[in-house]
Amino acid sequence: MSTISFGGLASGLDTGKIVTQLLAIRRQPIDRLETQKTKFSATKIALQGVESRVRGLMEAAASLDSNDEFASLSATSSHEALLTASAGALATPGGYDIVVTARAQAQKERSQGFDAASSSVGTGTFSITVGGQTTDLQIAAGSSGLADLASAINNSGAGVSATVLFDGSETGGYYLSLTAEETGTAAAFTVDASGLTGGTAPVFGNVQAAQNAAFTIDNLPVASQSNTVSNAIQGVTLNLAGVDAGTTVHLDVATDGEAIEAKVQAFVDAYNDLFGYIAEQGGEEGVLRGDSTIRSLVAKIRTDITSRLSEGPITMLYQVGIRQTEGGDLSFDTSAFQQELAGDYAAVRDLFISRNGHDGTVSKLGDSLDTMLDSVDGVFKLRSTAIDDRMKSIDSTIARYELSLDSYEKTLNARFTAMETLLSTLQAQSGYLSAISTSSSN
């Protein structure tokens, strides 16, 4: 049953406004809780921003924290029309004289001419042998055309691809062309069409023989099944692009200082991005001002970045041009870095990497960041969970207050309605008595 409100008809009071004001006073704890929830939400978003930047710094550190990651080598060819190369992490600096005398090539065979792509090659067994492994194809009636055989070969997985060629002739212009899927003699193949009957079996002639690549490295003969050679020089991939027995290609494998510098610059940039964001969020108006998690994080990172190695000619980052400014950012003197890198590559490398029980400054920082980012008990996970729990608790408390507020509103409306009803009754009685008194006087 709904409550009827007279709205001050008898008392002259604006009871609706009075109820609204009383409810506003009673609602103040809810408003405070909503404000707290908004702050918690803003804090969580800001912490996610910090976490994202910590992850970026960890990834930048990871690109420098091992010998394989730190080592950036370039491979330069004196004749790229004949040879190009790339150097990987396992490569070592050095120079090599290479002469390319042959490129690897795939075997090719072509059949006699047929009048149409649909011309029947017969039915039965067509066999392909590659590396001693024979694949038998069963050619059935209704799918025995030249193009059907090509399709069967391509779907067989035998290591040979097939296509139908057409030279434009009115008769005998269609040919079945077979190509080994890989270069080199190991991929050479033979075919046997003797199992086909009832049509014109294809007879193949060689177009290109299978051939291995041949070259010398410092007069050492080398053969390869492929023109991409990754096992001739440790850590170096050679790409044989051309042949010239009379030309010696000089290959120079050297430390790529610019590539290493770029990685270090990315690390410095990631560090500054993180601390710039923390400064912004921890400023006078920032939601992370005075945040204990951020204070601990900042202290740990700065301790790691300014730590000194226990041994070696280079023990601190400032010695290679990486310095902490008064504002807390890092500056990077690339000229100083390149000078130290050229003077003592190993000492500079050991400032960054982890190897054989040795932990470089950047490697140790990366470990610390990884711990912070742990998905189970890292500081960001724990803090996020704590904020979520607090916000759930606030939601529960607000829900209880809302129920109490609804009840309070009903009570106020009922009381003011009763008051107005009583006043209305009293006013009616007063009027009645006044009327009787006036009548008696007359």
Side-chain angles (χ1 to χ4, degrees):
M1 180 177 178
S2 61
T3 301
I4 299 174
S5 174
F6 288 91
L9 293 176
S11 65
L13 299 173
D14 187 350
T15 56
K17 183 176 181 180
I18 294 172
V19 170
T20 298
Q21 292 175 338
L22 290 172
L23 288 174
I25 294 172
R26 183 64 71 92
R27 189 176 180 81
Q28 287 178 355
I30 296 178
D31 293 338
R32 288 193 293 270
L33 289 171
E34 291 285 6
T35 299
Q36 289 182 30
K37 185 178 176 182
T38 299
K39 289 181 178 178
F40 277 126
S41 179
T43 298
K44 183 176 180 180
I45 292 173
L47 285 171
Q48 288 172 342
V50 176
E51 181 181 9
S52 173
R53 287 162 175 80
V54 168
R55 191 174 303 281
L57 179 57
M58 183 186 73
E59 291 171 354
S63 71
L64 293 163
D65 66 359
S66 70
N67 184 55
D68 289 352
E69 294 289 348
F70 185 86
S72 293
L73 297 171
S74 62
T76 305
S77 168
S78 62
H79 292 79
E80 293 191 346
L82 299 176
L83 173 74
T84 60
S86 59
L90 296 180
T92 56
Y96 308 90
D97 288 329
I98 300 174
V99 177
V100 182
T101 55
R103 294 184 74 245
Q105 59 187 30
Q107 178 183 347
K108 290 186 177 182
E109 303 283 330
R110 186 168 61 239
S111 72
Q112 79 274 33
F114 288 78
D115 290 339
S118 59
S119 296
S120 176
V121 297
T123 59
T125 302
F126 182 88
S127 301
I128 303 173
T129 300
V130 180
Q133 181 69 40
T134 299
T135 301
D136 292 329
L137 309 181
Q138 299 303 318
I139 308 302
S143 58
S144 63
L146 193 65
D148 295 323
L149 177 57
S151 178
I153 292 171
N154 290 330
N155 292 329
S156 69
V160 174
S161 62
T163 189
V164 175
L165 304 178
F166 177 53
D167 67 5
S169 302
E170 292 185 4
T171 59
Y174 291 85
Y175 304 84
L176 182 61
S177 176
L178 306 181
T179 304
E181 292 182 351
E182 296 181 5
T183 57
T185 57
F189 64 90
T190 59
V191 295
D192 182 2
S194 62
L196 298 176
T197 59
T200 302
V203 178
F204 294 93
N206 182 255
V207 175
Q208 177 174 279
Q211 177 176 286
N212 294 336
F215 57 100
T216 61
I217 301 176
D218 294 339
N219 294 321
L220 174 69
V222 181
S224 171
Q225 296 289 327
S226 170
N227 291 313
T228 300
V229 187
S230 59
N231 57 0
I233 302 173
Q234 185 178 31
V236 177
T237 298
L238 305 175
N239 298 297
L240 308 181
V243 175
D244 188 343
T247 299
T248 298
V249 180
H250 183 72
L251 180 67
D252 184 41
V253 180
T255 300
D256 189 344
E258 291 184 359
I260 299 174
E261 178 187 312
K263 292 181 182 181
V264 176
Q265 185 66 64
F267 170 78
V268 170
D269 291 344
Y271 182 97
N272 292 339
D273 181 42
L274 168 62
F275 277 85
Y277 183 79
I278 289 175
E280 176 188 337
Q281 297 298 321
E284 289 293 330
E285 302 298 326
V287 297
L288 297 180
R289 183 183 181 189
D291 188 275
S292 60
T293 298
I294 297 302
R295 286 200 306 270
S296 298
L297 177 148
V298 168
K300 178 58 178 171
I301 292 177
R302 285 183 171 161
T303 297
D304 285 348
I305 207 71
T306 57
S307 64
R308 181 188 297 272
L309 300 184
S310 60
E311 58 183 6
I314 299 178
T315 59
M316 297 190 72
L317 287 175
Y318 81 86
Q319 293 175 269
V320 296
I322 303 173
R323 297 176 180 273
Q324 197 165 41
T325 67
E326 291 183 2
D329 286 349
L330 293 181
S331 65
F332 183 32
D333 185 339
T334 57
S335 297
F337 179 80
Q338 290 294 351
Q339 182 177 346
E340 294 297 331
L341 189 67
D344 195 339
Y345 172 87
V348 175
R349 177 201 61 193
D350 286 350
L351 188 60
F352 289 85
I353 74 167
S354 173
R355 65 179 182 88
N356 300 328
H358 164 87
D359 289 319
T361 298
V362 173
S363 174
K364 286 191 291 187
L365 174 62
D367 291 340
S368 296
L369 299 176
D370 186 53
T371 299
M372 294 175 189
L373 294 168
D374 190 278
S375 61
V376 177
D377 55 8
V379 292
F380 293 104
K381 175 62 176 179
L382 295 177
R383 186 67 186 283
S384 178
T385 299
I387 290 176
D388 288 341
D389 291 344
R390 189 72 183 92
M391 292 175 70
K392 289 178 183 178
S393 176
I394 289 174
D395 285 338
S396 297
T397 303
I398 289 175
R400 291 195 299 271
Y401 272 124
E402 291 285 3
L403 289 174
S404 175
L405 198 62
D406 288 343
S407 177
Y408 181 57
E409 182 180 10
K410 291 176 182 178
T411 298
L412 288 176
N413 284 329
R415 287 179 178 177
F416 278 110
T417 298
M419 181 190 76
E420 294 292 340
T421 301
L422 177 60
L423 287 174
S424 178
T425 300
L426 291 175
Q427 288 171 355
Q429 291 176 351
S430 175
Y432 175 71
L433 293 173
S434 178
I436 294 176
S437 175
T438 302
S439 177
S440 298
S441 297
N442 294 331

